[in-house]
Amino acid sequence: MDAFYEESATDKNETRGKRMYRILHIVSMVFFWIAILFFVIFLLNFPWWGVTTDEERAWQFLIGFIGVLGASCLLTWFLFSRIKMRFNVSYDYCFVTGELRISKVYNVNRRKVVARIDCEDMIQVGDADNSSYERFKADPTIKEVVCTPNVEPAEGKFFMYVLANYNGRMLFVLECRENLLMNIMKFAKRSVLESDYVMQERKQR
């Protein structure tokens, strides 16, 4: 029996995220091109040999200082490039015939695979509102991986956790519809679903 299900968790403050990403990207690129300019000046003018007079030593010091500024600008470009990756982020969840694939998407078009979890490797799946999630989260032997940009689930969704043997025991937190859980349970063992799980429709009544 084949199965395919896919959905995404997008930032509820998507407009702000896009704006911040764009600003940080522009600032980072300004520092990048300034760094390139400083390095060109440094390489073309640095007196690598034959420095004898005070004027030549002063010029060497100035060009060396320009090289330091270039390195500082390059470091600033790197830092801003890292910071901007925290904005305009979303997550894709794709379930294909017994395998849950989680991807992190940066600025819509850049994708990084977070995990590919086989149902056979799942230890427990459930609702992050339940006490079992807090118990797993407090366990120092379990690493938590939050796969949503939001602190509150969007309408019609809930925070689902997936505890799995994946490079050790890892606790993945997803923001999804219950349809994803239903597809997982078609392939996972019944014992994988937490014993006190309550259907989302019943919870909202």
Side-chain angles (χ1 to χ4, degrees):
M1 178 179 63
D2 293 335
F4 178 83
Y5 180 79
E6 186 176 25
E7 67 171 290
S8 299
T10 58
D11 191 346
K12 294 167 75 173
N13 296 316
E14 185 177 5
T15 302
R16 176 181 175 275
K18 287 182 178 179
R19 183 171 63 251
M20 288 300 298
Y21 183 93
R22 190 178 301 113
I23 291 171
L24 291 169
H25 176 71
I26 291 172
V27 172
S28 68
M29 293 310 298
V30 168
F31 277 102
F32 176 78
W33 287 112
I34 292 175
I36 294 298
L37 176 62
F38 281 156
F39 279 131
V40 169
I41 295 174
F42 174 79
L43 293 173
L44 292 179
N45 293 278
F46 188 82
W48 298 100
W49 57 79
V51 177
T52 56
T53 67
D54 290 341
E55 288 185 1
E56 289 174 332
R57 290 190 182 93
W59 178 250
Q60 184 184 45
F61 176 81
L62 177 61
I63 297 304
F65 181 68
I66 290 176
V68 172
L69 288 178
S72 299
C73 287
L74 195 63
L75 177 61
T76 304
W77 162 78
F78 176 77
L79 291 175
F80 273 99
S81 296
R82 299 288 293 181
I83 294 172
K84 76 179 181 181
M85 303 306 284
R86 300 178 183 178
F87 297 92
N88 198 23
V89 172
S90 62
Y91 288 83
D92 287 345
Y93 317 127
C94 182
F95 186 79
V96 182
T97 313
E99 184 180 69
L100 175 61
R101 303 171 185 175
I102 305 172
S103 299
K104 189 174 184 178
V105 183
Y106 303 93
N107 196 35
V108 181
N109 53 20
R110 182 179 174 185
R111 180 182 302 267
K112 177 184 177 182
V113 175
V114 176
R116 299 180 65 163
I117 311 168
D118 195 289
C119 283
E120 294 183 359
D121 296 324
M122 294 181 183
I123 302 170
Q124 189 163 309
V125 179
D127 192 332
D129 280 344
N130 291 345
S131 59
S132 52
Y133 164 72
E134 295 297 334
R135 186 173 69 255
F136 292 138
K137 183 179 179 180
D139 190 330
T141 65
I142 297 175
K143 180 182 178 181
E144 183 184 31
V145 182
V146 178
C147 301
T148 172
N150 301 312
V151 295
E152 294 290 337
E155 185 177 354
K157 296 185 177 183
F158 76 111
F159 286 145
M160 180 181 76
Y161 72 82
V162 178
L163 177 64
N165 285 315
Y166 189 86
N167 296 327
R169 291 199 300 169
M170 300 185 73
L171 183 65
F172 298 91
V173 181
L174 288 63
E175 178 192 355
C176 60
R177 294 179 175 82
E178 202 165 36
N179 291 339
L180 179 57
L181 174 60
M182 292 178 178
N183 277 278
I184 289 174
M185 293 313 301
K186 291 177 182 178
F187 292 84
K189 299 175 182 177
R190 290 186 179 182
S191 59
V192 165
L193 183 64
E194 60 183 3
S195 58
D196 56 346
Y197 181 80
V198 179
M199 299 292 289
Q200 297 305 304
E201 184 178 344
R202 291 177 59 187
K203 279 181 60 178
Q204 297 170 3
R205 290 178 182 175

